[in-house]
Amino acid sequence: MTAEADPTKTDPAETGPTKTGPAKTGPTKTDPAETGPTETGLGKERAPRGDSALDGAGQPYGLPGKPLARGPFLFGLVGGLGVLTAIAIAQMVVNSLSTIILVVVAMFLAVGLNPAVEALQRRGLARRGAISIVFAGVIVAFVLFGLAVVPPVSQQLTEFIAAVPGYITDLSNHPTLRQIDADYQILTQLRSFVTTTLGPALASGIMGAGLVVLNGVFTTVTLLVLMLYFLGSLHTIKEYLLKLVPASRRARTGAISEQILTGIGGYVAGNVLISIIAGVLTWIFLSVMGVRYALALALVVALTDLIPLVGATIGAVLVSGVALLQSLPAGIACAVFFVVYQQVENYFIYPRVMKRSVNVTPAVTVIAALFGGALLGIVGALLAIPVAAAIALIIREVVVPRQERT
C-alpha cells in the first residue's frame, strides 16, 4: 500500500521557517513579587513584597513625596549657609588684612630689589651671594636711618624734660602770675592736675608708645624676613604660577609677567633713586644754612618723598616748620628751597628716571594714587602706580587685540 499524504503536514523546505514560541527573546514583564530582587542602574534593590497590609502601591509607608532639593526650606537653608560662609570669609579677610598687606609689601619690595640682584648676577656672582649683598645693604640702610633719627629725638625729649622744672620756676617767679595764683590758686590746681590726671595719662601713654615701638620693630623684622624669602624663591614662585596657565598660553603669559615684574622693579628703583636725590640735596642745603639735625631732617624728606603726590609736600612742611622754630630766615629759606626743588623734581628728574619703568599717563597716575591711598593708605598709594601700569599693559596686550579680532 502506498502512504497517502497527510494534508495537515507540510514540508519545511516548501513553507520556510516557522515562528514558534521560544523565538521571541524580547524582555517580558513579570510581577516583582514573583521574581524577587531587581537590578537598577544604581545597584541592587529588593522589591517590596506583596502584603495585604500594604497600600495599593506596595509601599509600607506610603508614596514618597517631592525631593527635598526642590523644596523651599532646603533652598533657603542652602542660601543662608552660603551667605554665612561669605560673611565669615569677609570677616577673616578683614581680621587678617594687616598680614595680607605685610605679605604684599614684602613681595613688592622683593620684586623691586630683584633687578639689583640680577645686575650682580650678570657680574659673575651667584644668586645667593647677590641676594646676601642686597639684603645687607637694606639692613645697613635701616640701621643708618635709626641712628640718624633716634638720637636727635631722644635728645630733644631729654632736654625738654630737664627744662620743665625751670619753666615752672620762671612762671612762679613772674609777678603777674604770682598775683593771679594768689587770687585763684592756679599753681595749686596745676600741681593737682599733674599729679592726679596728667601723670597717669603720661605713664599709660609711655607704655602705649613703647608697645607701638615694639610692634613696629617686630613688623620691620617680619617684613625683612619675608622679603628675603620672596627674593630667594622668586623664580620658583613664577614657574609655579605659570604652571597654572594652559600650555597654549604659557609663553605669552610668561612674557607679559616678565614685563610687569620689570616695570615694578624699575618703579621701585627709580622711586628710591629720586628719594635719595631729594635727601642728599636737602642735607646739603640744611648743612649750609646751619639748621640743626640736618641729616635726620634729610632722611625724613627722603622717606616721605617715596609717597606719591603728597609725600614731598609733607616732608617740605615738616622740615620748614622745624627750621622756622630755630630761626625765621632759615624757615623762609627752606620753604623757598623746597618750592623750587619740587618743580625741578616734577618736571625734570621724575620724567627722566621713570620713563623706562612705568608707562602710565599723568592722569592715570593721579587717579591710581588717590584710589590706592583711599583704600590702603600710604601702602596703597605706593602700590597704586605699578598696579595701574600692570593693568594698562594687560589691557594693551590682551584685551585690545581680542577686541580687534572680533
Side-chain angles (χ1 to χ4, degrees):
M1 292 179 65
T2 59
E4 293 181 359
D6 189 355
T8 61
K9 295 182 180 181
T10 59
D11 189 0
E14 296 176 357
T15 60
T18 59
K19 297 181 180 180
T20 59
K24 295 181 179 181
T25 58
T28 59
K29 297 181 179 180
T30 58
D31 189 359
E34 296 177 358
T35 57
T38 59
E39 294 184 0
T40 62
L42 298 179
K44 295 181 178 181
E45 296 179 355
R46 186 173 297 275
R49 298 178 181 177
D51 194 350
S52 60
L54 305 181
D55 56 358
Q59 300 290 339
Y61 304 108
L63 292 175
K66 295 181 179 180
L68 291 178
R70 300 177 183 176
F73 174 77
L74 187 60
F75 179 78
L77 179 63
V78 173
L81 290 176
V83 172
L84 292 177
T85 303
I87 293 174
I89 294 174
Q91 189 67 31
M92 287 188 293
V93 171
V94 171
N95 292 334
S96 59
L97 185 60
S98 59
T99 304
I100 295 174
I101 292 175
L102 190 65
V103 172
V104 171
V105 172
M107 177 62 77
F108 180 77
L109 293 177
V111 173
L113 293 176
N114 188 58
V117 174
E118 293 180 350
L120 292 177
Q121 284 184 275
R122 288 192 293 267
R123 296 180 179 273
L125 289 177
R127 184 166 180 84
R128 289 187 176 181
I131 291 175
S132 301
I133 293 175
V134 173
F135 189 73
V138 173
I139 296 295
V140 169
F142 272 94
V143 171
L144 291 178
F145 181 80
L147 292 177
V149 173
V150 173
V153 173
S154 61
Q155 182 179 356
Q156 290 289 330
L157 184 61
T158 303
E159 292 177 356
F160 175 75
I161 294 175
V164 168
Y167 294 154
I168 296 176
T169 303
D170 293 339
L171 290 175
S172 61
N173 292 331
H174 196 276
T176 304
L177 292 178
R178 184 182 300 177
Q179 183 63 36
I180 295 174
D181 179 60
D183 296 335
Y184 301 101
Q185 290 79 34
I186 294 178
L187 293 179
T188 303
Q189 295 179 7
L190 181 61
R191 292 190 186 95
S192 176
F193 172 75
V194 170
T195 56
T196 59
T197 304
L198 186 60
L202 288 176
S204 61
I206 291 173
M207 292 181 62
L211 293 176
V212 170
V213 171
L214 291 177
N215 189 22
V217 172
F218 176 76
T219 302
T220 303
V221 173
T222 306
L223 179 65
L224 292 176
V225 172
L226 287 175
M227 184 183 66
L228 179 62
Y229 281 131
F230 286 144
L231 195 59
S233 58
L234 189 60
H235 291 295
T236 305
I237 295 173
K238 289 191 297 185
E239 293 175 359
Y240 179 78
L241 293 178
L242 283 177
K243 290 180 180 179
L244 302 178
V245 181
S248 60
R249 303 179 181 178
R250 195 167 295 167
R252 181 172 173 80
T253 304
I256 295 175
S257 302
E258 288 293 334
Q259 184 66 29
I260 291 173
L261 295 178
T262 302
I264 293 175
Y267 172 76
V268 173
N271 206 5
V272 170
L273 179 60
I274 293 172
S275 298
I276 291 174
I277 293 174
V280 171
L281 294 179
T282 302
W283 176 66
I284 294 173
F285 176 78
L286 295 178
S287 300
V288 172
M289 292 298 300
V291 179
R292 290 184 298 174
Y293 311 118
L295 180 59
L297 295 176
L299 289 175
V300 170
V301 170
L303 184 63
T304 56
D305 198 66
L306 293 172
I307 305 172
L309 299 181
V310 298
T313 304
I314 293 173
V317 171
L318 291 176
V319 174
S320 300
V322 173
L324 186 62
L325 293 176
Q326 298 181 15
S327 65
L328 182 60
I332 296 175
C334 285
V336 174
F337 166 77
F338 283 116
V339 169
V340 174
Y341 173 74
Q342 286 185 14
Q343 304 306 315
V344 174
E345 180 183 292
N346 293 333
Y347 294 101
F348 182 76
I349 299 176
Y350 190 88
R352 291 180 178 271
V353 173
M354 291 295 184
K355 66 180 181 179
R356 294 185 179 181
S357 57
V358 292
N359 186 14
V360 183
T361 59
V364 175
T365 301
V366 174
I367 295 172
L370 291 176
F371 273 103
L375 293 175
L376 297 176
I378 296 176
V379 176
L382 290 174
L383 300 178
I385 296 177
V387 169
I391 294 174
L393 177 63
I394 293 173
I395 293 175
R396 185 173 64 250
E397 297 295 333
V398 177
V399 178
V400 174
R402 182 178 299 175
Q403 295 298 324
E404 292 294 335
R405 290 194 299 266
T406 58

